[in-house]
Amino acid sequence: MTAPLIAIAGLTVDFDTGRRVVRALHGVDLAVARGEAVGLVGESGSGKSVTWLAALGLLGPRARIGGSARLDGVELVGAPVRLLETVRGRRIAMIFQDPSSSLNPVHRIGRQIGEALALHRGLAGPAARAEAVRLLDRVGIPAAARRLDDYPHQLSGGQNQRVMIAMALAGEPDLLVADEPTTALDATIQAQILKLLGDLRRDSDMALVLISHDLGVVAENCDRVAVMYAGRIVEQAEAARLFGSPQHPYTQGLLDALPDLEGPRRRLTPIPGTVPEPARLPPGCAFAPRCPRADAACA
C-alpha cells in the first residue's frame, strides 16, 4: 500500500456503564489508502461502526478511546473538538444506516443540505441552493430543484438515502464511510446506490469504507476486506484472495452460511450461537465457543 490516507493502530474503546468498564474494541489496526475501497464485514456487535465513531470522536463522554487514528499524519484520537470539527464531514464523511432517523423530519431537504454546505464550504443563499441542486443531480434524484423544497417523508427510502449521500458529498470528503447504506432498500435500488458510490469514488479518487453484512455486495465493490469479530479484526486481505481462500474459521463460517445460486441444492451450514457481549467474552479466542475447529489451546 502507498502512504495511507488514514491509519488506525491499536484502537481501543472502553465504555463506562456506571457499574463497570467494558472493553468494546481490542486493538483494531486498519489502514485505508486514497481512492481505495475497503469492506468491513462481520455480524452485528462485532465493532464495525464503533471503530469509525471512535476515530471521529462521536461516541460520547462514557467512551474512553485509546490507540491511534491518523489522518494524513494528524492524530484524531484525543484531538480537540475544534480540530475534529474540521475533519468530520469535510475530510471524512459518514453515511449512517437509517436515513429516516438521520434526516430531520421537520426541515426541508434543501435546508439540510444547505447546512452541510455552510459548515464545510462556507456557501449560503443562491450559491448554496445551486450547489444543493447540483449534488442532488449528481446522486440521481430527478427534478432536483423541486425536491429541495420537499420534506423527508415526501421522498422514498431510496431517495432519502441519496439525499444522505448528497449531504455526505457536500464537504467533498477524502474518505466516505458508508455504514450499511442499503439495509432497508430493495435489490434494484440497492444496486443503483452501490453503483453510484462506485462512480463517485472513481470520479473523485475518494476512498470508501463499506460497512456491510452482505458479503456479495462487499465482494463486488471493494478492493480489500477486513473481517471483524468481538471487537477485533480477525482477518484482512485483498477481496479476491479472502473470498477465494479464507483463512480464519470465522470467515470460513460466514462464507459457508451463504446459499449457492448455481449447482445442486445443499443444506446451509450456519454458525451456531451469537457474537458474545463485550462484558461476557470467553477466555482466550472469542470465537472458540462457536468454532468447529476449537481445541484446548484456544482457551
Side-chain angles (χ1 to χ4, degrees):
M1 181 190 289
T2 58
L5 171 66
I6 185 166
I8 295 173
L11 188 68
T12 62
V13 173
D14 297 309
F15 287 107
D16 184 352
T17 65
R19 290 184 295 178
R20 60 180 297 186
V21 175
V22 177
R23 176 149 291 188
L25 290 189
H26 302 262
V28 171
D29 298 324
L30 182 66
V32 183
R34 292 183 182 276
E36 185 182 28
V38 175
L40 198 55
V41 302
E43 295 167 275
S44 296
S46 295
K48 305 183 298 297
S49 300
V50 169
T51 297
W52 291 98
L53 293 173
L56 291 170
L58 293 172
L59 286 178
R62 287 187 174 272
R64 304 174 186 175
I65 303 169
S68 173
R70 291 183 172 270
L71 177 67
D72 278 339
V74 177
E75 182 61 66
L76 302 182
V77 173
V81 173
R82 180 170 295 182
L83 172 62
L84 291 174
E85 287 177 346
T86 66
V87 171
R88 299 171 186 153
R90 185 67 185 90
R91 299 292 310 280
I92 302 175
M94 194 163 181
I95 304 171
F96 296 99
Q97 291 187 27
D98 183 9
S100 63
S101 61
S102 300
L103 293 172
N104 192 319
V106 300
H107 292 309
R108 300 180 191 273
I109 296 300
R111 175 174 175 176
Q112 298 187 59
I113 299 176
E115 181 181 31
L117 290 169
L119 284 171
H120 303 309
R121 290 165 58 187
L123 297 180
R129 187 173 180 86
E131 179 62 7
V133 170
R134 188 189 72 81
L135 287 170
L136 289 186
D137 277 332
R138 191 179 184 192
V139 299
I141 291 184
R146 181 169 58 81
R147 287 300 192 183
L148 288 180
D149 296 319
D150 286 347
Y151 291 95
H153 74 270
Q154 295 176 277
L155 277 63
S156 68
Q159 288 174 326
N160 276 324
Q161 191 63 276
R162 289 171 190 264
V163 171
M164 289 295 299
I165 296 172
M167 291 174 66
L169 295 175
E172 299 178 333
D174 299 313
L175 169 63
L176 180 64
V177 180
D179 189 356
E180 295 282 359
T182 59
T183 298
L185 307 179
D186 62 48
T188 302
I189 303 300
Q190 173 178 279
Q192 293 174 0
I193 295 294
L194 292 169
K195 182 180 184 303
L196 169 64
L197 290 176
D199 291 344
L200 293 170
R201 181 172 69 89
R202 285 184 289 271
D203 290 346
S204 60
D205 198 34
M206 176 183 68
L208 173 68
V209 172
L210 180 59
I211 300 173
S212 180
H213 295 285
D214 193 325
L215 297 179
V217 163
V218 170
E220 291 181 4
N221 294 277
C222 296
D223 307 312
R224 190 159 50 89
V225 183
V227 182
M228 289 196 74
Y229 185 80
R232 291 182 172 90
I233 291 181
V234 297
E235 182 172 1
Q236 60 177 309
E238 299 296 320
R241 189 173 70 177
L242 185 135
F243 287 105
S245 181
Q247 300 299 302
H248 195 280
Y250 180 59
T251 311
Q252 295 169 1
L254 291 177
L255 294 175
D256 286 342
L258 293 175
D260 293 324
L261 297 181
E262 300 177 353
R265 294 171 63 183
R266 66 176 179 86
R267 185 175 295 276
L268 298 181
T269 307
I271 302 174
T274 59
V275 178
E277 296 179 13
R280 298 179 180 177
L281 291 181
C285 174
F287 186 58
R290 308 174 67 193
C291 180
R293 293 164 52 186
D295 58 28
C298 298

